[in-house]
Amino acid sequence: MASTSSVPYLADTAPGRGPRRPPRSWLHSDAPTLSLDGAWLFRLSPVAPADEDLADDGFDDSDWDTIPVPSHWVLEGDGAYGRPIYTNVQFPFPIDPPHVPDENPTGDYRRRFTLPADWSAAERILLRFDGVESLYKVWLNGIEIGIATGSRLATEFDVTDAVRPGENVVAVRVHQWSPASYLEDQDQWWLPGIFRSVTLVARPAGGIDDVWLRAGYRDGAGTLDAELTADPSAFPITLSVPELGVERTWQTPDEVGPIAVDTVEPWSAERPLLYEATVSSAAETITLRVGFRTVEIRGDRFLVNGNRVVFHGMNRHEAHPDRGRVFDEEHARADLARMKQFNVNAIRTSHYPPHPRLLDLADELGFWVILECDLETHGFEKGGWRGNPSDDPAWRDAYLDRIRRTVERDKNHPSIVMWSLGNESGTGANLAAMSAWVHARDTGRPVHYEGDYTGEYTDVYSRMYPTVIETAEIGTDGSRAPLLNCTPAQGARQRTKPFILCEYAHAMGNGPGALDQYEQLVHEHPRLHGGFVWEWRDHGIRTTTPEGAEFFAYGGDFGEVVHDGNFVMDGMVLSNDVPTPGLHEYKAVVQPIRFVFDVDAVALTNLRHSADASDLRFRWRVEHDGAVVRTGELDVPELEAGATVLVPLPEVPVAHDAETWLTVDAELRDDVAWAPAGHIVASAQVDRSARIPVPAAPTVPLRSGDAAAPASGTLTLGPASFENGRLVSLGGRPVSGPRLELWRAPTDNDEGAAYSDPTGSDGSVVGVSSASLWREQGLDRLTRRLVSSSGDATSLRTVERVSAANALASVSVESTWTLNDGELELRVEILPSAGWNTVWPRIGVRFDLPDDATAVDGASWFGLGPLESYPDSIHAAAVGRYESTVDDLSADYARPQETGHRSAVRRLTLRAGEADVLALTFLPDTRGRRPGFTLSRHTPQQLAAAGHPFELPASDTTYLFVDAAQHGLGSRACGPDVWPEYALRPEARTLRIRFA
């Protein structure tokens, strides 16, 4: 074995060496190829081996294992080849650039292949690697070929002089750590290995090495501007687009030039029209799909085909719970279809180019794409960016090499509307050089990089996680509010550019909140062009406990020395492909049709980029207390993008003893590539109820301070039984409560202390999470003291003082049970003392329903649903009748936390098996506020104590929470805190519940 110090190239910042071919497009060609994917022989060493003869015919590999290519070795062999490592910002090795530790896991790969006999006429033979992490060295038939870096970038080696007829031996040595690792600190799992395809390519004499078809669009007409890379001997070359009647043959390179196309349909993310094109020489035919579109910036507007773009986007990593970053086209297509179904129209490829087929799918299905280079040096921030490669001349070639390979590979895709230099790499001359290269190479796409805060070398202003207040100031003409790291002059310059939220609304666990506030700003300030939620999916790795329980692992679950915990579980989609409630909220907030209801009409506004609404039908229904009584379809006239039409509404039959709701759904008329006909694109609901009086609370003569009989012994009030003033059963089932509950199992946002916004949030303390403040005040460990109890044949009243150990602040809870004409009502008055100095997570009560013959395992309700909702995440909720099992009421977040709250509930029925066991009616308080409910098999304390779902204890009780209020969700795991309107201050609240 050899130490890293004895391997000189492991301290070399150069991007590679050897016969590396110039980067070029990933093209669909009829030239011969031979896939080398499949089973390879494999050997893992803890440090770099000394032997370099592993491609020799006589090398002894008899004791090597077999591993699939593509794959990550840490995901193979059930731990035999090491384990994944997750970090967000931290480097999992000492920060000592360009050096890496001697303890450097190194995977050696060997494979034999037979060169096809008919390849003898090939002019050149290339060996292509589409993705290898991190640095790799290649041999063929005992000959050293070269070295390459750039894990998510393609490299082609010219192996013409090393390949031989018949059987060949290729060997690849992959080092997990290398100088390139300092450039790839990208908030993801470190997953070494050959994880994309390996291909042998035969380049024919007279072939076409590269093609770039720029397809512009203006006012109904198009231009085709071809750039061909080919030897003069390859000519004549013919460009053909049959559907457009284009057939142009160029006899020499000098003849190649633009072609005007009189009439074309444009490509957009909404209508991704593609034309089949071929570029042919006598020796080779290349097939491309062309989309006509023009990207430009005019003033502070970002335009495609002359129309302003609003990005309703997601940051997308390549992640699969079993394969890691190994590409699976079926899964990727389903993933992108899911994006479209949830009104996502844009992707930022964080923080590297994806598999090239993904971009084919983006062209086909329709997305605006910001294509990002394989670059992030975030770990240097810890030292104030000291030693950061972004401003070090020694790394300049590596930076330029990465951006060249990024742009050249993917330049033909119409979906790509912007190039991004990378992510969170500070700033410096090397980034500026990258930008200059892109501007010179591609004048048709702007350059993005968030870290260029002052706008020295980028075309758009981009930020991460600004507050709503700051975002509004960025969009406001004439604002002089300071911008991050900018002088006033620099800030003024940035306000002349289009603004993009390259990351916002951190989707970690339950949340994010306040999506609607950012969306509203987009419509108020045209400079603001939307943004990209962080991020699309959780990166959980499927694994099992020693006892066999399956779960999705996150940082620390593999024994990493340093890690960033469950920060890798921050997606709108769970690791098992299940959309979170947050994604449903996102869909509702960004829906492309706006509904504004009047008494007898609805104003419909088409918020799309350029597509009209002819693909939609507008169906309506009227419900009385959630029961459908009438349906129909609106007669909607032509509705162009940006237009508004006023459409008459049907006559709505109003019930005087039930709530009347009118719902309008905009749904697809026909099947499309990403959804079937009938898929709902946008929806809105309006209350058409007659005013229904709320029954007054019954008058009870007993007051807590009055002289009355103490509540002792057994007391029965209708369906409720009490022992010594405490509830013991309801409807013949054991039940205890109501118990004041102010605690919720903290969400990831509750636990977050990354950001606070003292000007806009209640209770924020810089660097301190809300959950820490709640624990400090003892909200998770409240105790009760019965102050008084009194009762008679028709009523029971108790007063409790609730507080925590070593706490002065307390809460008074007065519970009054009243039997009136056979109907049982509970009224709970919750009154906090003075001295509470932070927001509360919830204000509610808990009922414990122990399992007896059958457990309470489901519920039906009339109220908001079907999914969970919270004060700042409620747009996806609609009033209706819903039902669910207890398990399905909760979202299966990777770390157990608060989940399952349904807001504004009118009636709730609990079920055990097929039987309804308890019916509750929730009455509004004097301000019309209705409580919500949560039904769970675990207490908040149990949830908060568990790091994974499998750590939750077995349960023999179902817990019903009736909440007068819940604190908002916010985005503070990596973003702003809860907005004041949705922050729950300690306050007096009333709950009224009727039981049957």
Side-chain angles (χ1 to χ4, degrees):
M1 298 294 178
S3 71
T4 300
S5 59
S6 64
V7 183
Y9 61 78
L10 285 178
D12 188 352
T13 62
R17 71 186 190 203
R20 299 191 309 146
R21 298 286 291 179
R24 63 191 183 113
S25 301
W26 195 79
L27 297 169
H28 300 270
S29 167
D30 65 356
T33 61
L34 176 66
S35 173
L36 299 185
D37 292 353
W40 288 54
L41 295 174
F42 180 73
R43 174 186 71 181
L44 183 67
S45 305
V47 299
D51 57 349
E52 292 204 343
D53 58 348
L54 59 163
D56 290 351
D57 289 329
F59 185 86
D60 183 8
D61 56 16
S62 59
D63 61 346
W64 285 27
D65 299 330
T66 300
I67 198 170
V69 169
S71 72
H72 304 280
W73 72 62
V74 293
L75 297 183
E76 301 294 325
D78 195 24
Y81 309 123
R83 290 294 194 180
I85 299 170
Y86 166 63
T87 62
N88 169 28
V89 178
Q90 304 179 81
F91 283 119
F93 46 80
I95 304 173
D96 181 26
H99 305 288
V100 293
D102 292 343
E103 293 80 12
N104 188 359
T106 299
D108 287 332
Y109 296 76
R110 270 175 58 91
R111 179 189 169 121
R112 296 180 182 271
F113 66 90
T114 300
L115 190 72
D118 59 356
W119 280 30
S120 58
E123 181 179 59
R124 311 302 297 173
I125 295 179
L126 311 180
L127 182 58
R128 180 183 180 94
F129 295 86
D130 281 306
V132 183
E133 183 177 324
S134 140
L135 178 150
Y136 55 106
K137 189 174 185 178
V138 181
W139 295 265
L140 183 60
N141 297 324
I143 300 170
E144 180 181 322
I145 301 301
I147 293 170
T149 61
S151 297
R152 269 66 68 177
L153 300 167
T155 296
E156 288 182 327
F157 291 105
D158 188 332
V159 296
T160 309
D161 297 334
V163 75
R164 65 195 180 196
E167 188 176 73
N168 292 257
V169 181
V170 62
V172 184
R173 172 163 291 166
V174 181
H175 302 280
Q176 177 160 13
W177 310 125
S178 73
S181 302
Y182 287 102
L183 307 184
E184 296 176 2
D185 187 28
Q186 291 147 323
D187 188 8
Q188 61 181 338
W189 293 99
W190 299 86
L191 299 174
I194 305 174
F195 68 93
R196 289 184 185 158
S197 290
V198 182
T199 311
L200 205 66
V201 181
R203 297 299 306 137
I208 304 167
D209 290 328
D210 201 2
V211 173
W212 187 5
L213 286 185
R214 299 177 179 90
Y217 176 82
R218 185 82 66 185
D219 300 329
T223 58
L224 276 174
D225 190 1
E227 177 185 292
L228 307 179
T229 304
D231 191 85
S233 64
F235 286 78
I237 293 177
T238 299
L239 168 64
S240 175
V241 189
E243 191 174 349
L244 297 176
V246 172
E247 184 87 12
R248 178 69 59 86
T249 299
W250 296 295
Q251 299 295 329
T252 67
D254 293 339
E255 293 181 11
V256 178
I259 301 172
V261 186
D262 291 339
T263 303
V264 297
E265 292 294 322
W267 184 96
S268 73
E270 295 164 352
R271 292 192 174 157
L273 194 143
L274 296 167
Y275 295 93
E276 290 284 337
T278 59
V279 180
S280 304
S281 69
E284 182 178 16
T285 296
I286 290 169
T287 304
L288 303 91
R289 294 188 298 181
V290 176
F292 289 86
R293 56 107 188 95
T294 296
V295 179
E296 59 187 329
I297 291 176
R298 295 185 202 160
D300 60 0
R301 306 292 193 273
F302 177 84
L303 310 175
V304 175
N305 298 334
N307 293 339
R308 171 176 172 258
V309 171
V310 175
F311 295 104
H312 292 132
M314 294 285 158
N315 283 278
R316 180 190 180 275
H317 269 291
E318 293 192 304
H320 186 277
D322 304 309
R323 295 184 294 272
R325 283 188 287 280
V326 175
F327 184 74
D328 178 270
E329 183 164 334
E330 181 180 357
H331 185 259
R333 182 182 287 274
D335 226 22
L336 296 197
R338 188 178 296 112
M339 284 186 179
K340 296 286 287 188
Q341 291 163 11
F342 283 87
N343 292 331
V344 175
N345 70 4
I347 298 169
R348 177 178 174 231
T349 68
S350 52
H351 300 291
Y352 44 83
H355 190 282
R357 272 296 289 159
L358 186 99
L359 298 167
D360 287 342
L361 298 178
D363 293 341
E364 173 189 324
L365 296 174
F367 290 91
W368 312 116
V369 175
I370 296 182
L371 198 287
E372 197 147 87
C373 186
D374 190 6
L375 176 65
E376 181 168 339
T377 68
H378 204 168
F380 286 94
E381 184 180 31
K382 178 179 181 179
W385 298 106
R386 186 178 65 255
N388 184 22
S390 295
D391 204 35
D392 185 342
W395 297 84
R396 180 184 177 94
D397 287 348
Y399 274 61
L400 288 172
D401 175 80
R402 285 175 181 253
I403 196 64
R404 288 187 188 112
R405 290 154 72 192
T406 296
V407 171
E408 297 295 355
R409 193 197 73 169
D410 298 328
K411 55 186 177 285
N412 279 294
H413 292 284
S415 57
I416 298 174
V417 294
M418 201 178 302
W419 301 112
S420 179
L421 304 179
N423 185 68
E424 292 176 323
S425 297
T427 190
N430 295 335
L431 286 157
M434 294 169 74
S435 179
W437 184 89
V438 176
H439 282 118
R441 181 70 179 114
D442 184 6
T443 60
R445 295 180 177 101
V447 172
H448 165 274
Y449 175 66
E450 182 264 348
D452 180 27
Y453 295 121
T454 60
E456 300 295 330
Y457 47 85
T458 48
D459 302 308
V460 297
Y461 183 32
S462 175
R463 286 283 308 283
M464 295 180 182
Y465 309 106
T467 65
V468 171
I469 293 172
E470 186 181 6
T471 304
E473 292 290 353
I474 291 169
T476 301
D477 288 339
S479 172
R480 293 180 176 272
L483 299 184
L484 181 66
N485 293 345
C486 285
T487 66
Q490 291 166 337
R493 176 171 62 189
Q494 290 294 63
R495 284 190 174 90
T496 66
K497 299 177 181 179
F499 177 73
I500 294 169
L501 290 160
C502 70
E503 293 180 21
Y504 81 114
H506 194 259
M508 187 174 179
N510 191 344
L515 288 167
D516 56 333
Q517 294 176 283
Y518 287 98
E519 179 66 14
Q520 181 60 35
L521 292 178
V522 166
H523 302 291
E524 293 176 359
H525 305 289
R527 179 179 304 131
L528 308 181
H529 288 72
F532 298 81
V533 169
W534 187 267
E535 64 174 306
W536 172 240
R537 65 161 52 246
D538 283 2
H539 299 211
I541 293 178
R542 196 190 316 270
T543 189
T544 57
T545 67
E547 295 73 31
E550 184 180 281
F551 70 102
F552 294 101
Y554 51 73
D557 287 336
F558 297 110
E560 299 100 307
V561 175
V562 296
H563 62 84
D564 287 298
N566 70 321
F567 212 69
V568 76
M569 305 297 231
D570 48 10
M572 285 285 199
V573 176
L574 300 177
S575 299
N576 60 357
D577 296 338
V578 174
T580 64
L583 183 57
H584 288 268
E585 176 75 2
Y586 181 86
K587 175 186 177 181
V589 166
V590 306
Q591 63 185 23
I593 303 295
R594 179 190 293 151
F595 303 79
V596 179
F597 290 95
D598 203 345
V599 175
D600 54 4
V602 59
L604 302 175
T605 301
N606 181 357
L607 301 174
R608 290 170 162 177
H609 169 262
S610 51
D612 62 28
S614 60
D615 60 326
L616 304 177
R617 61 163 57 97
F618 293 80
R619 295 190 182 275
W620 58 267
R621 67 182 180 275
V622 176
E623 294 167 301
H624 289 163
D625 274 5
V628 177
V629 296
R630 188 173 295 178
T631 64
E633 184 174 339
L634 296 181
D635 184 12
V636 177
E638 182 176 348
L639 183 54
E640 297 291 335
T644 299
V645 295
L646 193 64
V647 180
L649 288 170
E651 182 178 347
V652 176
V654 176
H656 293 281
D657 59 349
E659 294 184 42
T660 301
W661 289 88
L662 171 65
T663 304
V664 180
D665 294 327
E667 62 180 44
L668 292 175
R669 288 187 182 276
D670 303 305
D671 293 347
V672 295
W674 46 268
H679 168 77
I680 295 175
V681 172
S683 184
Q685 190 179 64
V686 64
D687 187 356
R688 292 295 197 230
S689 303
R691 187 170 184 85
I692 304 172
V694 177
T699 300
V700 183
L702 298 173
R703 301 303 301 171
S704 58
D706 293 344
S712 60
T714 300
L715 175 66
T716 300
L717 296 177
S721 296
F722 302 85
E723 293 287 349
N724 298 321
R726 296 198 182 276
L727 179 69
V728 294
S729 71
L730 269 171
R733 293 182 63 90
V735 178
S736 64
R739 177 191 183 98
L740 179 70
E741 190 65 79
L742 303 180
W743 173 252
R744 70 183 185 193
T747 68
D748 290 307
N749 290 313
D750 294 338
E751 294 281 15
Y755 291 77
S756 64
D757 176 19
T759 64
S761 298
D762 292 57
S764 286
V765 178
V766 175
V768 180
S769 72
S770 295
S772 296
L773 297 175
W774 298 339
R775 292 186 182 98
E776 182 181 304
Q777 297 212 344
L779 299 188
D780 58 335
R781 49 185 174 82
L782 296 175
T783 60
R784 301 180 292 170
R785 178 174 65 83
L786 182 64
V787 176
S788 65
S789 67
S790 55
D792 58 22
T794 60
S795 65
L796 170 69
R797 175 177 286 105
T798 63
V799 178
E800 294 178 316
R801 184 184 188 276
V802 180
S803 189
N806 198 38
L808 291 173
S810 64
V811 181
S812 173
V813 181
E814 181 178 349
S815 301
T816 305
W817 298 84
T818 307
L819 187 64
N820 189 18
D821 294 330
E823 189 170 57
L824 180 66
E825 178 176 324
L826 168 65
R827 182 184 181 112
V828 182
E829 301 281 359
I830 301 167
L831 179 65
S833 71
W836 294 98
N837 58 9
T838 185
V839 295
W840 280 351
R842 74 186 331 151
I843 302 175
V845 295
R846 184 183 102 193
F847 294 90
D848 297 4
L849 296 87
D851 299 348
D852 52 5
T854 55
V856 172
D857 58 6
S860 61
W861 72 97
F862 173 48
L864 287 179
L867 301 177
E868 66 185 30
S869 55
Y870 293 83
D872 54 354
S873 181
I874 205 165
H875 290 270
V879 175
R881 290 184 182 178
Y882 306 101
E883 61 181 44
S884 174
T885 65
V886 171
D887 290 340
D888 288 343
L889 284 167
S890 301
D892 194 17
Y893 299 116
R895 184 186 67 80
Q897 57 194 271
E898 164 65 30
T899 177
H901 177 76
R902 268 65 179 178
S903 307
V905 175
R906 283 76 162 161
R907 291 188 290 278
L908 170 67
T909 301
L910 304 183
R911 293 177 175 172
E914 299 299 319
D916 294 346
V917 297
L918 190 61
L920 303 86
T921 299
F922 299 151
L923 301 176
D925 64 13
T926 56
R927 292 173 55 184
R929 299 173 296 189
R930 296 181 184 272
F933 85 93
T934 304
L935 195 63
S936 173
R937 295 291 289 171
H938 294 94
T939 67
Q941 290 77 9
Q942 290 171 330
L943 291 169
H948 303 83
F950 71 82
E951 296 172 10
L952 291 168
S955 174
D956 58 5
T957 302
T958 302
Y959 302 95
L960 170 65
F961 302 85
V962 180
D963 288 324
Q966 277 258 358
H967 185 55
L969 299 175
S971 189
R972 203 181 176 197
C974 187
D977 204 350
V978 176
W979 190 253
E981 181 181 349
Y982 308 116
L984 181 56
R985 305 161 184 82
E987 61 184 23
R989 296 297 290 255
T990 300
L991 286 168
R992 291 180 62 193
I993 308 170
R994 290 187 173 172
F995 296 87

